[in-house]
Amino acid sequence: MRGACAVAGVTVLVVVGAGMAAAGDESGRPDLARYYTQKIKWGTCKGDTEAMAEATGGAKDIRCGHVSVPLDYADPASGDVDVAMIRMKSSASGKPRGSLLLNFGGPGGPGVSALAGAQKDFGFLSKDYDVVSFDPRGVGLSEPVSCGDADKSTDPSSGGTGDAAAVLAEMRKVAAECAKKSGPVLPHMGTVNVSRDLDVMRQALGDKKLNYLGFSYGTRLGAVYAAQFPKNVGRMVLDGVDTLTEPVAEQSLVTAEGRQTALDNFLTWCTGNAGCVFGTDSRSARKGMVRLIKDMDQMPLRSLDGAEFTGQDVVGVLGQALYSRQAWPALSQALGALLADGDPRALIRMSGGLAPTGIPSTGPSTGPAAGEEVPADNMAAALMGVNCADDPDRPDAAHIEKEVGKLQKQFDDASPVFGKSMLMPVLLCFGRPAGTKYIREDVRDVKTPKLLLVGTRGDPATPYRWTEETARRLGSQAVVLDNKGDGHTGYLGSTCVQDKVNGFLLYGETPKSGESCAADEG
């Protein structure tokens, strides 16, 4: 969980099984037949998505389309949401095995632009599958939510405990602004609904079973699908495994700690190489980084058009770049330009060339800018929309006012660099209805075919213990692959992991439980 603003949790109807209810069903479930009988009309991708596809491997095998899903599964007559999809057609000479759906993480990460910019990374899987991704409801081209500038209007770490009531009042204003700008989809976000959308997509693609590869948050989505639709699960891989049990506050704190550890490792590497702008002493480098962030928050750099580049903007770039060790040399050079010349352009370019979910990008930006209609803050707004909807813990105002000072200290202690940005998501859930209890209580002991879970020991965002915990919750069908390397997720960072995952998805070769992959050299 990583990010910034949005929505309320809602109670949703959970259907276990095939998911399709016929009219007049004695169970009393709503009629979803019209959604489960639709066909996808694939056509040429447009705008930035088409340009990105052409720039990263050619667009001839890339097509875009959409499916309609109910805004509210308990009341399908209340309206529809159009979910944007993208397909990289299989290169198989005969009929492909079916579709492989990808979720790149987030929550709030767009899949359409991500796959358009990463065709080469998944080309091997297209030997047998049509590789498909999508923008979840409220994300990217799927009726995107937004909070405008509301989430930037308050600083939860300023003022201390005496200002707690004022901070919470600002949080209420942010929630109201998010609701105003986002439209009807906002109260109907959350992983339980996205999982049901996923099953509609499976059927619309003509697949009897869902074959799935989910990264980071996408592992939460995959686990929820396995619990809701166990009979529809085909071959499923969960890479960079998210927690199913820990509340938003604990997730944020773990993320702050993980990112700080990754930053410390980067600074140790940097100071061990000639030309590091922070010198040769890693302890001094850590202090220098904290000082840089504070100074730039107090006195941001300003461009000729008045745009600001703050310390928190630097933190945002760091949070992305540290997910992949491959990005460290470029990060070192970009920080050198910033400190030596006051030039943030290299850092800004890095933020445009890194995947927002931590999946390393090999092409142009895979961020939400797939079209002008996507708000600049969409990913941050969607992240909070989903995380708040998935979390049933919602303390009252009195408790938050009493605890906010303690929370500030906890997050600052966990990371003097990332603590501030990681506290914001915790406070932004305040004032919103409690989220669903389904994930925490019912996603367990699934009755599916074998599931492959990949955990990376040096993952700064999803610690390895979450892989072990989730495997225990999912039960005997969960097989863990232990990646001894660094970075967020393993598939694009480890040759061994990629081989094991490809073998599982393409040929049904399941690693032995407890099997491991050594870290790649270099």
Side-chain angles (χ1 to χ4, degrees):
M1 80 124 311
R2 9 272 155 209
C5 165
V7 67
V10 292
T11 301
V12 297
L13 178 67
V14 175
V15 179
V16 177
M20 179 175 166
D25 189 336
E26 292 181 359
S27 69
R29 293 195 293 262
D31 178 14
L32 302 176
R34 70 182 179 93
Y35 300 103
Y36 275 86
T37 54
Q38 66 185 305
K39 300 296 182 183
I40 302 170
K41 295 181 180 179
W42 297 106
T44 303
C45 299
K46 298 179 181 179
D48 289 348
T49 302
E50 181 183 28
M52 189 179 299
E54 290 177 343
T56 57
K60 63 180 184 300
D61 295 324
I62 289 285
R63 292 291 182 268
C64 291
H66 75 271
V67 295
S68 294
V69 297
L71 176 68
D72 182 353
Y73 277 92
D75 181 17
S78 63
D80 294 345
V81 177
D82 284 339
V83 174
M85 300 180 66
I86 186 170
R87 183 189 69 182
M88 180 168 67
K89 194 169 179 59
S90 172
S91 61
S93 57
K95 186 177 180 180
R97 179 186 301 277
S99 304
L100 175 70
L101 271 83
L102 307 183
N103 181 280
F104 289 89
V112 171
S113 57
L115 182 56
Q119 297 169 68
K120 293 180 180 179
D121 294 324
F122 300 97
F124 191 79
L125 290 170
S126 72
K127 289 175 60 177
D128 272 19
Y129 292 102
D130 289 333
V131 180
V132 178
S133 194
F134 62 100
D135 290 351
R137 57 170 64 206
V139 174
L141 301 176
S142 300
E143 304 191 20
V145 297
S146 173
C147 298
D149 292 327
D151 61 320
K152 300 178 182 178
S153 64
T154 184
D155 180 354
S157 62
S158 66
T161 56
D163 293 328
V167 169
L168 298 182
E170 286 297 318
M171 295 299 106
R172 291 190 182 94
K173 291 181 182 178
V174 171
E177 192 68 11
C178 294
K180 178 181 177 181
K181 291 184 178 295
S182 293
V185 72
L186 188 63
H188 299 283
M189 295 182 70
T191 303
V192 173
N193 273 336
V194 176
S195 172
R196 300 198 67 184
D197 297 344
L198 196 58
D199 198 57
V200 173
M201 285 182 254
R202 173 198 59 77
Q203 182 72 21
L205 288 164
D207 295 326
K208 292 183 179 179
K209 302 287 185 180
L210 176 75
N211 299 304
Y212 178 82
L213 172 55
F215 298 101
S216 193
Y217 160 76
T219 67
R220 189 196 312 172
L221 175 59
V224 170
Y225 185 91
Q228 285 185 295
F229 304 100
K231 294 181 180 180
N232 296 349
V233 173
R235 294 175 182 173
M236 179 175 285
V237 177
L238 311 180
D239 183 3
V241 183
D242 201 357
T243 180
L244 300 175
T245 59
E246 295 183 2
V248 168
E250 184 61 28
Q251 292 181 50
S252 283
L253 193 62
V254 168
T255 299
E257 291 170 343
R259 288 185 176 180
Q260 185 64 48
T261 298
L263 177 60
D264 292 346
N265 292 341
F266 162 74
L267 291 173
T268 298
W269 169 86
C270 180
T271 54
N273 288 277
C276 178
V277 72
F278 291 100
T280 58
D281 181 70
S282 60
R283 182 177 298 181
S284 296
R286 294 184 187 103
K287 293 179 180 178
M289 181 64 77
V290 173
R291 188 164 55 248
L292 170 66
I293 302 302
K294 289 182 177 179
D295 289 348
M296 288 190 62
D297 276 338
Q298 293 174 359
M299 297 185 64
L301 297 174
R302 285 183 172 83
S303 64
L304 293 176
D305 62 2
E308 291 187 346
F309 191 77
T310 69
Q312 293 310 302
D313 290 324
V314 176
V315 170
V317 177
L318 290 173
Q320 295 181 51
L322 293 171
Y323 278 177
S324 170
R325 195 179 183 95
Q326 297 169 351
W328 286 10
L331 177 61
S332 178
Q333 292 177 4
L335 288 169
L338 179 68
L339 282 166
D341 305 317
D343 184 357
R345 287 178 296 178
L347 277 176
I348 294 171
R349 285 194 298 271
M350 283 198 74
S351 68
L354 291 162
T357 59
I359 306 303
S361 171
T362 56
S365 171
T366 57
E372 293 182 358
E373 66 269 34
V374 181
D377 76 318
N378 172 243
M379 193 169 68
L383 182 146
M384 284 314 303
V386 174
N387 279 338
C388 294
D390 287 359
D391 186 4
D393 298 316
R394 201 70 81 244
D396 58 28
H399 180 81
I400 287 288
E401 287 185 27
K402 181 179 179 181
E403 295 293 323
V404 69
K406 179 181 176 182
L407 282 171
Q408 289 171 10
K409 186 176 187 307
Q410 280 184 325
F411 277 78
D412 286 341
D413 288 346
S415 173
V417 171
F418 296 103
K420 178 179 178 180
S421 62
M422 288 294 100
L423 176 58
M424 177 69 90
V426 178
L427 297 183
L428 281 172
C429 284
F430 171 76
R432 294 167 172 80
T436 179
K437 294 181 179 179
Y438 176 78
I439 299 172
R440 188 175 297 176
E441 295 182 356
D442 297 329
V443 180
R444 60 172 69 246
D445 300 321
V446 297
K447 308 301 181 184
T448 67
K450 292 293 184 182
L451 309 173
L452 179 58
L453 278 60
V454 180
T456 298
R457 292 285 179 169
D459 196 314
T462 50
Y464 186 79
R465 66 177 176 84
W466 284 358
T467 301
E468 296 177 311
E469 291 170 3
T470 298
R472 287 194 294 269
R473 280 182 60 86
L474 295 180
S476 60
Q477 296 306 97
V479 176
V480 172
L481 178 62
D482 181 355
N483 178 26
K484 305 293 187 182
D486 293 307
H488 184 35
T489 73
Y491 184 77
L492 296 182
S494 165
T495 302
C496 172
V497 170
Q498 192 166 93
D499 288 345
K500 299 289 186 184
V501 169
N502 289 345
F504 177 79
L505 290 172
L506 294 174
Y507 313 118
E509 298 170 352
T510 305
K512 295 179 181 178
S513 184
E515 194 167 337
S516 65
C517 281
D520 281 1
E521 295 182 3

